[in-house]
Short mmCIF file of all heavy atoms in Angstrom, two decimals:
data_model
loop_
_atom_site.label_atom_id
_atom_site.label_comp_id
_atom_site.label_asym_id
_atom_site.label_seq_id
_atom_site.Cartn_x
_atom_site.Cartn_y
_atom_site.Cartn_z
N MET A 187 -20.01 4.47 22.80
CA MET A 187 -19.11 4.36 21.66
C MET A 187 -18.66 2.91 21.49
O MET A 187 -18.47 2.19 22.44
CB MET A 187 -17.87 5.24 21.88
CG MET A 187 -18.16 6.71 21.98
SD MET A 187 -18.63 7.35 20.37
CE MET A 187 -19.07 9.00 20.83
N LYS A 188 -18.48 2.54 20.24
CA LYS A 188 -18.13 1.17 19.92
C LYS A 188 -16.63 1.04 19.63
O LYS A 188 -16.06 1.81 18.89
CB LYS A 188 -18.92 0.71 18.70
CG LYS A 188 -18.69 -0.72 18.34
CD LYS A 188 -19.53 -1.12 17.15
CE LYS A 188 -19.21 -2.56 16.80
NZ LYS A 188 -19.83 -2.96 15.57
N VAL A 189 -15.99 0.03 20.22
CA VAL A 189 -14.58 -0.22 20.00
C VAL A 189 -14.43 -1.22 18.85
O VAL A 189 -15.12 -2.23 18.80
CB VAL A 189 -13.89 -0.77 21.27
CG1 VAL A 189 -12.45 -1.12 21.00
CG2 VAL A 189 -14.00 0.23 22.41
N SER A 190 -13.56 -0.88 17.90
CA SER A 190 -13.30 -1.75 16.76
C SER A 190 -11.85 -1.53 16.32
O SER A 190 -11.04 -1.06 17.11
CB SER A 190 -14.29 -1.46 15.63
OG SER A 190 -14.22 -0.10 15.25
N THR A 191 -11.53 -1.83 15.08
CA THR A 191 -10.18 -1.62 14.57
C THR A 191 -10.21 -0.65 13.40
O THR A 191 -11.27 -0.44 12.78
CB THR A 191 -9.53 -2.93 14.10
OG1 THR A 191 -10.24 -3.41 12.96
CG2 THR A 191 -9.52 -3.98 15.21
N ILE A 192 -9.05 -0.11 13.04
CA ILE A 192 -8.98 0.77 11.87
C ILE A 192 -9.43 0.01 10.63
O ILE A 192 -10.10 0.56 9.76
CB ILE A 192 -7.56 1.35 11.70
CG1 ILE A 192 -7.29 2.38 12.80
CG2 ILE A 192 -7.39 1.98 10.33
CD1 ILE A 192 -5.90 2.99 12.76
N ALA A 193 -9.08 -1.27 10.54
CA ALA A 193 -9.44 -2.07 9.36
C ALA A 193 -10.95 -2.16 9.15
O ALA A 193 -11.41 -2.33 8.02
CB ALA A 193 -8.83 -3.46 9.48
N SER A 194 -11.73 -2.04 10.20
CA SER A 194 -13.18 -2.16 10.08
C SER A 194 -13.87 -0.84 9.76
O SER A 194 -15.07 -0.82 9.48
CB SER A 194 -13.77 -2.76 11.36
OG SER A 194 -13.65 -1.84 12.42
N LEU A 195 -13.14 0.26 9.79
CA LEU A 195 -13.73 1.56 9.48
C LEU A 195 -13.99 1.69 7.99
O LEU A 195 -13.23 1.18 7.16
CB LEU A 195 -12.81 2.70 9.92
CG LEU A 195 -12.52 2.83 11.41
CD1 LEU A 195 -11.51 3.95 11.65
CD2 LEU A 195 -13.79 3.07 12.20
N GLN A 196 -15.06 2.38 7.65
CA GLN A 196 -15.40 2.64 6.25
C GLN A 196 -14.88 4.01 5.84
O GLN A 196 -14.56 4.85 6.69
CB GLN A 196 -16.92 2.59 6.07
CG GLN A 196 -17.55 1.26 6.43
CD GLN A 196 -17.00 0.13 5.60
OE1 GLN A 196 -16.92 0.22 4.38
NE2 GLN A 196 -16.60 -0.96 6.26
N LYS A 197 -14.80 4.23 4.54
CA LYS A 197 -14.33 5.51 4.01
C LYS A 197 -15.15 6.66 4.63
O LYS A 197 -16.37 6.60 4.67
CB LYS A 197 -14.47 5.52 2.50
CG LYS A 197 -13.97 6.78 1.85
CD LYS A 197 -14.10 6.69 0.34
CE LYS A 197 -13.69 8.00 -0.30
NZ LYS A 197 -13.83 7.95 -1.76
N GLY A 198 -14.45 7.65 5.16
CA GLY A 198 -15.10 8.81 5.76
C GLY A 198 -15.35 8.70 7.26
O GLY A 198 -15.64 9.70 7.91
N GLU A 199 -15.23 7.51 7.82
CA GLU A 199 -15.46 7.34 9.26
C GLU A 199 -14.26 7.85 10.06
O GLU A 199 -13.12 7.74 9.62
CB GLU A 199 -15.73 5.89 9.61
CG GLU A 199 -17.10 5.42 9.22
CD GLU A 199 -17.43 4.05 9.78
OE1 GLU A 199 -16.62 3.12 9.62
OE2 GLU A 199 -18.51 3.93 10.39
N ARG A 200 -14.56 8.38 11.24
CA ARG A 200 -13.53 8.89 12.15
C ARG A 200 -13.57 8.13 13.45
O ARG A 200 -14.62 7.62 13.86
CB ARG A 200 -13.75 10.38 12.42
CG ARG A 200 -13.59 11.23 11.17
CD ARG A 200 -13.62 12.68 11.50
NE ARG A 200 -12.50 12.92 12.40
CZ ARG A 200 -12.32 14.06 13.06
NH1 ARG A 200 -13.16 15.03 12.95
NH2 ARG A 200 -11.29 14.21 13.86
N ALA A 201 -12.41 8.06 14.10
CA ALA A 201 -12.32 7.35 15.38
C ALA A 201 -11.13 7.89 16.16
O ALA A 201 -10.34 8.69 15.66
CB ALA A 201 -12.14 5.86 15.12
N ILE A 202 -11.02 7.44 17.41
CA ILE A 202 -9.89 7.78 18.27
C ILE A 202 -9.11 6.51 18.53
O ILE A 202 -9.69 5.47 18.87
CB ILE A 202 -10.37 8.38 19.61
CG1 ILE A 202 -11.14 9.67 19.36
CG2 ILE A 202 -9.18 8.62 20.55
CD1 ILE A 202 -11.78 10.24 20.61
N ILE A 203 -7.79 6.57 18.37
CA ILE A 203 -6.95 5.40 18.62
C ILE A 203 -6.94 5.12 20.11
O ILE A 203 -6.68 6.00 20.92
CB ILE A 203 -5.52 5.64 18.11
CG1 ILE A 203 -5.53 5.85 16.59
CG2 ILE A 203 -4.60 4.46 18.48
CD1 ILE A 203 -4.20 6.29 16.00
N LYS A 204 -7.26 3.87 20.48
CA LYS A 204 -7.33 3.47 21.89
C LYS A 204 -6.17 2.59 22.34
O LYS A 204 -5.67 2.75 23.45
CB LYS A 204 -8.66 2.73 22.16
CG LYS A 204 -9.85 3.64 22.11
CD LYS A 204 -9.75 4.66 23.22
CE LYS A 204 -10.91 5.60 23.25
NZ LYS A 204 -10.74 6.66 24.24
N SER A 205 -5.77 1.62 21.53
CA SER A 205 -4.70 0.72 21.94
C SER A 205 -4.19 -0.06 20.73
O SER A 205 -4.75 0.03 19.64
CB SER A 205 -5.19 -0.26 23.01
OG SER A 205 -6.20 -1.09 22.49
N PHE A 206 -3.14 -0.84 20.97
CA PHE A 206 -2.54 -1.67 19.94
C PHE A 206 -2.56 -3.10 20.42
O PHE A 206 -2.09 -3.39 21.51
CB PHE A 206 -1.11 -1.21 19.66
CG PHE A 206 -1.05 0.23 19.23
CD1 PHE A 206 -0.87 1.24 20.16
CD2 PHE A 206 -1.21 0.57 17.90
CE1 PHE A 206 -0.83 2.57 19.78
CE2 PHE A 206 -1.19 1.89 17.50
CZ PHE A 206 -1.00 2.89 18.44
N GLU A 207 -3.11 -4.00 19.61
CA GLU A 207 -3.32 -5.38 20.02
C GLU A 207 -2.23 -6.29 19.47
O GLU A 207 -2.18 -6.57 18.28
CB GLU A 207 -4.68 -5.85 19.50
CG GLU A 207 -5.06 -7.25 19.90
CD GLU A 207 -6.40 -7.63 19.32
OE1 GLU A 207 -7.40 -7.00 19.70
OE2 GLU A 207 -6.43 -8.54 18.50
N GLY A 208 -1.35 -6.74 20.35
CA GLY A 208 -0.39 -7.76 19.98
C GLY A 208 0.69 -7.37 19.00
O GLY A 208 1.26 -8.24 18.37
N ILE A 209 0.95 -6.08 18.81
CA ILE A 209 2.02 -5.69 17.91
C ILE A 209 2.91 -4.65 18.58
O ILE A 209 2.46 -3.90 19.45
CB ILE A 209 1.51 -5.10 16.56
CG1 ILE A 209 0.70 -3.81 16.79
CG2 ILE A 209 0.75 -6.11 15.77
CD1 ILE A 209 0.44 -3.02 15.53
N ASP A 210 4.14 -4.64 18.16
CA ASP A 210 5.01 -3.52 18.50
C ASP A 210 4.82 -2.50 17.40
O ASP A 210 5.03 -2.81 16.22
CB ASP A 210 6.47 -3.97 18.56
CG ASP A 210 6.74 -4.90 19.73
OD1 ASP A 210 6.13 -4.68 20.80
OD2 ASP A 210 7.55 -5.82 19.58
N VAL A 211 4.38 -1.31 17.76
CA VAL A 211 4.10 -0.29 16.77
C VAL A 211 5.42 0.15 16.13
O VAL A 211 6.34 0.55 16.83
CB VAL A 211 3.39 0.92 17.41
CG1 VAL A 211 3.04 1.95 16.37
CG2 VAL A 211 2.16 0.46 18.15
N PRO A 212 5.51 0.07 14.79
CA PRO A 212 6.74 0.53 14.14
C PRO A 212 7.02 1.99 14.47
O PRO A 212 6.09 2.82 14.54
CB PRO A 212 6.43 0.36 12.65
CG PRO A 212 5.34 -0.67 12.61
CD PRO A 212 4.55 -0.46 13.86
N LEU A 213 8.29 2.32 14.67
CA LEU A 213 8.69 3.68 15.03
C LEU A 213 8.17 4.70 14.03
O LEU A 213 7.74 5.79 14.40
CB LEU A 213 10.22 3.77 15.14
CG LEU A 213 10.79 5.12 15.53
CD1 LEU A 213 10.25 5.59 16.87
CD2 LEU A 213 12.30 5.08 15.54
N LYS A 214 8.16 4.35 12.75
CA LYS A 214 7.68 5.27 11.72
C LYS A 214 6.22 5.67 11.96
O LYS A 214 5.85 6.83 11.79
CB LYS A 214 7.85 4.66 10.34
CG LYS A 214 7.49 5.61 9.23
CD LYS A 214 7.90 5.08 7.89
CE LYS A 214 7.63 6.15 6.84
NZ LYS A 214 8.34 5.92 5.63
N LEU A 215 5.38 4.71 12.38
CA LEU A 215 3.98 5.04 12.67
C LEU A 215 3.87 5.97 13.87
O LEU A 215 3.05 6.89 13.88
CB LEU A 215 3.16 3.77 12.90
CG LEU A 215 2.81 2.93 11.69
CD1 LEU A 215 1.95 1.74 12.11
CD2 LEU A 215 2.08 3.75 10.64
N ILE A 216 4.67 5.73 14.88
CA ILE A 216 4.65 6.59 16.07
C ILE A 216 5.07 8.01 15.69
O ILE A 216 4.45 8.99 16.08
CB ILE A 216 5.56 6.02 17.17
CG1 ILE A 216 4.98 4.70 17.69
CG2 ILE A 216 5.74 7.02 18.31
CD1 ILE A 216 5.89 3.93 18.61
N GLU A 217 6.14 8.11 14.89
CA GLU A 217 6.62 9.42 14.46
C GLU A 217 5.58 10.17 13.64
O GLU A 217 5.56 11.39 13.62
CB GLU A 217 7.90 9.27 13.65
CG GLU A 217 9.09 8.85 14.48
CD GLU A 217 10.33 8.53 13.64
OE1 GLU A 217 10.19 8.34 12.41
OE2 GLU A 217 11.42 8.46 14.23
N MET A 218 4.71 9.43 12.96
CA MET A 218 3.69 10.05 12.11
C MET A 218 2.38 10.27 12.86
O MET A 218 1.36 10.61 12.27
CB MET A 218 3.49 9.22 10.86
CG MET A 218 4.74 9.16 10.02
SD MET A 218 4.53 8.26 8.50
CE MET A 218 4.14 9.62 7.41
N GLY A 219 2.37 10.04 14.18
CA GLY A 219 1.21 10.37 14.99
C GLY A 219 0.28 9.23 15.33
O GLY A 219 -0.79 9.45 15.88
N CYS A 220 0.64 8.02 14.99
CA CYS A 220 -0.21 6.87 15.29
C CYS A 220 0.01 6.45 16.75
O CYS A 220 0.69 5.48 17.04
CB CYS A 220 0.11 5.72 14.34
SG CYS A 220 -1.08 4.37 14.46
N ILE A 221 -0.57 7.24 17.65
CA ILE A 221 -0.45 6.99 19.09
C ILE A 221 -1.83 7.09 19.73
O ILE A 221 -2.75 7.68 19.17
CB ILE A 221 0.54 7.96 19.77
CG1 ILE A 221 0.15 9.40 19.51
CG2 ILE A 221 1.97 7.69 19.32
CD1 ILE A 221 1.03 10.42 20.22
N GLU A 222 -1.95 6.48 20.88
CA GLU A 222 -3.23 6.47 21.60
C GLU A 222 -3.72 7.90 21.83
O GLU A 222 -2.95 8.77 22.21
CB GLU A 222 -3.08 5.73 22.92
CG GLU A 222 -2.81 4.26 22.73
CD GLU A 222 -2.51 3.53 24.03
OE1 GLU A 222 -2.77 4.09 25.11
OE2 GLU A 222 -2.02 2.40 23.95
N GLY A 223 -5.01 8.11 21.60
CA GLY A 223 -5.63 9.40 21.83
C GLY A 223 -5.74 10.27 20.59
O GLY A 223 -6.50 11.25 20.59
N ASN A 224 -5.02 9.94 19.51
CA ASN A 224 -5.11 10.74 18.29
C ASN A 224 -6.31 10.32 17.46
O ASN A 224 -6.76 9.18 17.51
CB ASN A 224 -3.83 10.61 17.46
CG ASN A 224 -2.74 11.55 17.94
OD1 ASN A 224 -2.96 12.37 18.83
ND2 ASN A 224 -1.58 11.44 17.35
N TYR A 225 -6.80 11.27 16.66
CA TYR A 225 -7.93 11.01 15.79
C TYR A 225 -7.44 10.39 14.49
O TYR A 225 -6.37 10.72 13.99
CB TYR A 225 -8.66 12.32 15.45
CG TYR A 225 -9.39 12.89 16.63
CD1 TYR A 225 -8.77 13.80 17.49
CD2 TYR A 225 -10.70 12.52 16.90
CE1 TYR A 225 -9.44 14.32 18.59
CE2 TYR A 225 -11.38 13.04 18.00
CZ TYR A 225 -10.75 13.94 18.83
OH TYR A 225 -11.40 14.43 19.91
N VAL A 226 -8.25 9.50 13.94
CA VAL A 226 -7.94 8.86 12.66
C VAL A 226 -9.20 8.90 11.78
O VAL A 226 -10.31 8.75 12.27
CB VAL A 226 -7.44 7.41 12.85
CG1 VAL A 226 -8.48 6.55 13.53
CG2 VAL A 226 -7.04 6.79 11.53
N GLU A 227 -8.99 9.18 10.49
CA GLU A 227 -10.08 9.17 9.51
C GLU A 227 -9.64 8.37 8.31
O GLU A 227 -8.52 8.53 7.82
CB GLU A 227 -10.42 10.60 9.08
CG GLU A 227 -11.49 10.66 8.03
CD GLU A 227 -11.78 12.08 7.54
OE1 GLU A 227 -11.08 13.01 7.93
OE2 GLU A 227 -12.73 12.22 6.75
N VAL A 228 -10.52 7.50 7.83
CA VAL A 228 -10.22 6.72 6.62
C VAL A 228 -10.56 7.60 5.41
O VAL A 228 -11.71 8.02 5.24
CB VAL A 228 -11.03 5.41 6.57
CG1 VAL A 228 -10.78 4.67 5.26
CG2 VAL A 228 -10.67 4.53 7.75
N LEU A 229 -9.54 7.88 4.59
CA LEU A 229 -9.74 8.71 3.42
C LEU A 229 -10.03 7.89 2.17
O LEU A 229 -10.85 8.29 1.34
CB LEU A 229 -8.51 9.58 3.17
CG LEU A 229 -8.14 10.54 4.31
CD1 LEU A 229 -6.84 11.24 4.00
CD2 LEU A 229 -9.26 11.53 4.56
N GLN A 230 -9.35 6.75 2.05
CA GLN A 230 -9.50 5.94 0.84
C GLN A 230 -9.02 4.52 1.10
O GLN A 230 -8.18 4.30 1.97
CB GLN A 230 -8.66 6.56 -0.29
CG GLN A 230 -8.88 5.98 -1.66
CD GLN A 230 -10.24 6.35 -2.22
OE1 GLN A 230 -10.72 7.46 -2.05
NE2 GLN A 230 -10.88 5.41 -2.87
N ARG A 231 -9.54 3.59 0.34
CA ARG A 231 -9.07 2.21 0.37
C ARG A 231 -8.65 1.84 -1.04
O ARG A 231 -9.29 2.24 -2.01
CB ARG A 231 -10.18 1.26 0.82
CG ARG A 231 -10.48 1.35 2.30
CD ARG A 231 -11.60 0.37 2.65
NE ARG A 231 -11.80 0.31 4.07
CZ ARG A 231 -11.21 -0.58 4.87
NH1 ARG A 231 -10.41 -1.48 4.37
NH2 ARG A 231 -11.44 -0.57 6.16
N ALA A 232 -7.59 1.07 -1.14
CA ALA A 232 -7.16 0.57 -2.44
C ALA A 232 -8.23 -0.36 -3.01
O ALA A 232 -9.06 -0.87 -2.26
CB ALA A 232 -5.82 -0.16 -2.31
N PRO A 233 -8.23 -0.60 -4.32
CA PRO A 233 -9.27 -1.44 -4.93
C PRO A 233 -9.44 -2.81 -4.28
O PRO A 233 -10.55 -3.31 -4.19
CB PRO A 233 -8.80 -1.57 -6.38
CG PRO A 233 -8.04 -0.31 -6.63
CD PRO A 233 -7.35 0.00 -5.33
N LEU A 234 -8.37 -3.41 -3.81
CA LEU A 234 -8.48 -4.71 -3.15
C LEU A 234 -8.49 -4.59 -1.62
O LEU A 234 -8.18 -5.52 -0.91
CB LEU A 234 -7.34 -5.64 -3.60
CG LEU A 234 -7.36 -5.98 -5.10
CD1 LEU A 234 -6.14 -6.79 -5.47
CD2 LEU A 234 -8.63 -6.70 -5.49
N LYS A 235 -8.82 -3.37 -1.14
CA LYS A 235 -8.96 -3.05 0.29
C LYS A 235 -7.63 -2.91 1.04
O LYS A 235 -7.61 -2.70 2.23
CB LYS A 235 -9.83 -4.09 1.02
CG LYS A 235 -11.19 -4.31 0.40
CD LYS A 235 -12.16 -3.27 0.82
CE LYS A 235 -13.54 -3.63 0.30
NZ LYS A 235 -14.34 -2.49 0.06
N ASP A 236 -6.51 -3.06 0.36
CA ASP A 236 -5.20 -3.00 1.03
C ASP A 236 -4.21 -2.28 0.13
O ASP A 236 -4.05 -2.69 -1.03
CB ASP A 236 -4.74 -4.43 1.31
CG ASP A 236 -3.53 -4.51 2.23
OD1 ASP A 236 -3.26 -3.52 2.93
OD2 ASP A 236 -2.89 -5.57 2.27
N PRO A 237 -3.59 -1.20 0.55
CA PRO A 237 -3.59 -0.60 1.88
C PRO A 237 -4.76 0.36 2.10
O PRO A 237 -5.56 0.58 1.21
CB PRO A 237 -2.26 0.15 1.92
CG PRO A 237 -2.05 0.58 0.51
CD PRO A 237 -2.61 -0.56 -0.33
N ILE A 238 -4.78 0.94 3.30
CA ILE A 238 -5.79 1.92 3.69
C ILE A 238 -5.09 3.27 3.82
O ILE A 238 -4.06 3.37 4.48
CB ILE A 238 -6.45 1.54 5.03
CG1 ILE A 238 -7.06 0.14 4.95
CG2 ILE A 238 -7.50 2.57 5.42
CD1 ILE A 238 -7.53 -0.39 6.28
N TYR A 239 -5.65 4.31 3.19
CA TYR A 239 -5.08 5.65 3.24
C TYR A 239 -5.78 6.43 4.36
O TYR A 239 -7.01 6.53 4.36
CB TYR A 239 -5.27 6.34 1.89
CG TYR A 239 -4.62 7.69 1.77
CD1 TYR A 239 -3.27 7.88 2.05
CD2 TYR A 239 -5.36 8.79 1.37
CE1 TYR A 239 -2.69 9.13 1.94
CE2 TYR A 239 -4.78 10.04 1.24
CZ TYR A 239 -3.44 10.20 1.52
OH TYR A 239 -2.85 11.44 1.41
N LEU A 240 -5.00 6.94 5.31
CA LEU A 240 -5.55 7.55 6.53
C LEU A 240 -5.07 8.98 6.74
O LEU A 240 -4.01 9.37 6.26
CB LEU A 240 -5.10 6.75 7.76
CG LEU A 240 -5.35 5.25 7.77
CD1 LEU A 240 -4.61 4.61 8.93
CD2 LEU A 240 -6.83 4.97 7.85
N ASN A 241 -5.86 9.71 7.51
CA ASN A 241 -5.44 10.99 8.07
C ASN A 241 -5.41 10.77 9.58
O ASN A 241 -6.45 10.54 10.19
CB ASN A 241 -6.43 12.09 7.70
CG ASN A 241 -6.10 13.42 8.36
OD1 ASN A 241 -5.17 13.54 9.14
ND2 ASN A 241 -6.89 14.42 8.03
N ILE A 242 -4.22 10.83 10.16
CA ILE A 242 -4.08 10.68 11.60
C ILE A 242 -3.61 12.01 12.17
O ILE A 242 -2.45 12.38 12.02
CB ILE A 242 -3.10 9.55 11.98
CG1 ILE A 242 -3.61 8.21 11.44
CG2 ILE A 242 -2.92 9.48 13.49
CD1 ILE A 242 -2.74 7.03 11.75
N SER A 243 -4.56 12.74 12.74
CA SER A 243 -4.28 14.05 13.34
C SER A 243 -3.46 14.96 12.42
O SER A 243 -2.48 15.55 12.82
CB SER A 243 -3.59 13.88 14.70
OG SER A 243 -4.46 13.23 15.60
N GLY A 244 -3.86 15.01 11.15
CA GLY A 244 -3.22 15.91 10.20
C GLY A 244 -2.08 15.30 9.40
O GLY A 244 -1.53 15.96 8.52
N THR A 245 -1.71 14.07 9.68
CA THR A 245 -0.66 13.38 8.93
C THR A 245 -1.32 12.35 8.04
O THR A 245 -2.14 11.57 8.49
CB THR A 245 0.33 12.68 9.89
OG1 THR A 245 0.91 13.66 10.75
CG2 THR A 245 1.43 11.97 9.12
N TYR A 246 -0.94 12.34 6.77
CA TYR A 246 -1.52 11.42 5.81
C TYR A 246 -0.57 10.24 5.60
O TYR A 246 0.62 10.44 5.35
CB TYR A 246 -1.77 12.12 4.47
CG TYR A 246 -2.75 13.26 4.63
CD1 TYR A 246 -2.30 14.55 4.90
CD2 TYR A 246 -4.11 13.04 4.57
CE1 TYR A 246 -3.19 15.59 5.07
CE2 TYR A 246 -5.02 14.07 4.74
CZ TYR A 246 -4.55 15.35 4.99
OH TYR A 246 -5.44 16.37 5.17
N LEU A 247 -1.11 9.02 5.72
CA LEU A 247 -0.29 7.84 5.51
C LEU A 247 -1.14 6.66 5.08
O LEU A 247 -2.35 6.64 5.27
CB LEU A 247 0.52 7.49 6.76
CG LEU A 247 -0.25 7.05 8.00
CD1 LEU A 247 0.56 6.00 8.74
CD2 LEU A 247 -0.47 8.23 8.91
N ALA A 248 -0.47 5.68 4.49
CA ALA A 248 -1.12 4.44 4.08
C ALA A 248 -0.53 3.30 4.90
O ALA A 248 0.69 3.24 5.07
CB ALA A 248 -0.92 4.19 2.60
N ILE A 249 -1.40 2.44 5.41
CA ILE A 249 -0.92 1.28 6.17
C ILE A 249 -1.59 0.02 5.64
O ILE A 249 -2.69 0.06 5.10
CB ILE A 249 -1.15 1.43 7.69
CG1 ILE A 249 -2.64 1.54 8.03
CG2 ILE A 249 -0.38 2.60 8.25
CD1 ILE A 249 -2.92 1.51 9.51
N ARG A 250 -0.90 -1.08 5.82
CA ARG A 250 -1.43 -2.37 5.39
C ARG A 250 -2.58 -2.79 6.30
O ARG A 250 -2.62 -2.46 7.48
CB ARG A 250 -0.32 -3.42 5.41
CG ARG A 250 0.80 -3.09 4.43
CD ARG A 250 1.73 -4.25 4.29
NE ARG A 250 1.02 -5.42 3.79
CZ ARG A 250 0.93 -5.76 2.50
NH1 ARG A 250 1.51 -5.02 1.59
NH2 ARG A 250 0.28 -6.84 2.14
N ILE A 251 -3.48 -3.56 5.75
CA ILE A 251 -4.66 -3.98 6.50
C ILE A 251 -4.28 -4.86 7.69
O ILE A 251 -4.94 -4.85 8.71
CB ILE A 251 -5.69 -4.65 5.57
CG1 ILE A 251 -7.06 -4.62 6.24
CG2 ILE A 251 -5.29 -6.06 5.20
CD1 ILE A 251 -8.20 -4.73 5.29
N GLU A 252 -3.20 -5.64 7.57
CA GLU A 252 -2.79 -6.50 8.69
C GLU A 252 -2.36 -5.66 9.90
O GLU A 252 -2.61 -6.06 11.04
CB GLU A 252 -1.69 -7.47 8.28
CG GLU A 252 -0.35 -6.84 8.03
CD GLU A 252 0.71 -7.86 7.63
OE1 GLU A 252 0.72 -8.27 6.46
OE2 GLU A 252 1.51 -8.23 8.49
N VAL A 253 -1.75 -4.51 9.68
CA VAL A 253 -1.41 -3.61 10.78
C VAL A 253 -2.67 -2.90 11.27
O VAL A 253 -2.90 -2.79 12.47
CB VAL A 253 -0.33 -2.58 10.36
CG1 VAL A 253 -0.08 -1.55 11.45
CG2 VAL A 253 0.97 -3.30 9.99
N ALA A 254 -3.50 -2.43 10.34
CA ALA A 254 -4.73 -1.71 10.70
C ALA A 254 -5.66 -2.57 11.55
O ALA A 254 -6.38 -2.06 12.39
CB ALA A 254 -5.45 -1.24 9.43
N SER A 255 -5.62 -3.88 11.33
CA SER A 255 -6.51 -4.76 12.10
C SER A 255 -6.05 -4.97 13.54
O SER A 255 -6.78 -5.54 14.34
CB SER A 255 -6.64 -6.12 11.40
OG SER A 255 -5.40 -6.80 11.43
N LYS A 256 -4.88 -4.47 13.88
CA LYS A 256 -4.37 -4.61 15.25
C LYS A 256 -4.42 -3.29 16.02
O LYS A 256 -4.01 -3.23 17.18
CB LYS A 256 -2.94 -5.11 15.21
CG LYS A 256 -2.79 -6.38 14.38
CD LYS A 256 -2.23 -7.48 15.19
CE LYS A 256 -1.92 -8.64 14.28
NZ LYS A 256 -2.66 -9.80 14.57
N ILE A 257 -4.90 -2.22 15.37
CA ILE A 257 -5.00 -0.91 16.04
C ILE A 257 -6.45 -0.71 16.45
O ILE A 257 -7.34 -0.55 15.62
CB ILE A 257 -4.52 0.22 15.11
CG1 ILE A 257 -3.07 -0.03 14.68
CG2 ILE A 257 -4.66 1.57 15.83
CD1 ILE A 257 -2.57 0.95 13.63
N MET A 258 -6.68 -0.75 17.76
CA MET A 258 -8.03 -0.62 18.31
C MET A 258 -8.43 0.86 18.37
O MET A 258 -7.64 1.70 18.79
CB MET A 258 -8.09 -1.21 19.71
CG MET A 258 -7.60 -2.66 19.80
SD MET A 258 -8.46 -3.78 18.68
CE MET A 258 -10.07 -3.80 19.43
N VAL A 259 -9.65 1.13 17.93
CA VAL A 259 -10.16 2.50 17.93
C VAL A 259 -11.58 2.55 18.50
O VAL A 259 -12.26 1.53 18.59
CB VAL A 259 -10.18 3.08 16.48
CG1 VAL A 259 -8.78 3.19 15.93
CG2 VAL A 259 -11.06 2.26 15.56
N GLU A 260 -11.99 3.74 18.85
CA GLU A 260 -13.37 3.99 19.30
C GLU A 260 -14.01 4.93 18.28
O GLU A 260 -13.55 6.05 18.09
CB GLU A 260 -13.35 4.65 20.67
CG GLU A 260 -14.72 4.85 21.26
CD GLU A 260 -14.63 5.45 22.66
OE1 GLU A 260 -14.00 4.81 23.53
OE2 GLU A 260 -15.17 6.54 22.86
N LYS A 261 -15.05 4.45 17.60
CA LYS A 261 -15.71 5.25 16.57
C LYS A 261 -16.35 6.49 17.17
O LYS A 261 -16.87 6.45 18.29
CB LYS A 261 -16.77 4.42 15.85
CG LYS A 261 -16.24 3.32 14.98
CD LYS A 261 -17.37 2.62 14.26
CE LYS A 261 -16.86 1.48 13.44
NZ LYS A 261 -17.95 0.82 12.69
N LEU A 262 -16.34 7.56 16.40
CA LEU A 262 -16.99 8.80 16.83
C LEU A 262 -18.38 8.89 16.25
O LEU A 262 -18.70 8.31 15.27
CB LEU A 262 -16.15 10.00 16.37
CG LEU A 262 -14.76 10.09 16.97
CD1 LEU A 262 -14.03 11.29 16.41
CD2 LEU A 262 -14.84 10.19 18.47
#
C-alpha cells in the first residue's frame, strides 16, 4: 500500500487515515471522525480543487486543501 495525503487522492478513491503531519488536528475534525484508522473517501472537489468534500467513516465534511495535505493516508 502507498502512503500519501488526502489532498493527493482523486474523486472516488478510498484510504485509511494513518497520521497527521505537523498540525494540531482541530477538535471539530476529531469530533467528526478524522482520526487515525478511519476510512476516508473523496466524494467531490470544488472547481478550483479547494475545498475537498469527504466521507470519513460515514460523516460528510469539507476541508481545505492545506489541511488535507497534512493528513497522511494509506490508499486502498
Side-chain angles (χ1 to χ4, degrees):
M187 297 289 174
K188 184 179 177 187
V189 176
S190 57
T191 66
I192 289 179
S194 68
L195 296 176
Q196 300 300 311
K197 182 178 176 181
E199 285 190 309
R200 295 188 61 190
I202 298 173
I203 298 172
K204 289 297 180 185
S205 64
F206 302 92
E207 182 181 296
I209 62 167
D210 291 324
V211 183
L213 181 58
K214 185 169 185 162
L215 286 182
I216 293 170
E217 290 173 344
M218 297 183 94
C220 190
I221 56 177
E222 293 174 14
N224 277 355
Y225 290 91
V226 60
E227 177 183 6
V228 176
L229 300 175
Q230 190 70 38
R231 287 180 173 266
L234 297 175
K235 307 278 186 210
D236 191 18
I238 303 171
Y239 185 54
L240 307 170
N241 175 357
I242 299 180
S243 296
T245 301
Y246 299 92
L247 65 145
I249 61 173
R250 297 190 60 94
I251 200 157
E252 70 180 79
V253 174
S255 67
K256 307 238 188 242
I257 302 173
M258 306 305 291
V259 296
E260 184 177 301
K261 291 183 182 182
L262 297 178

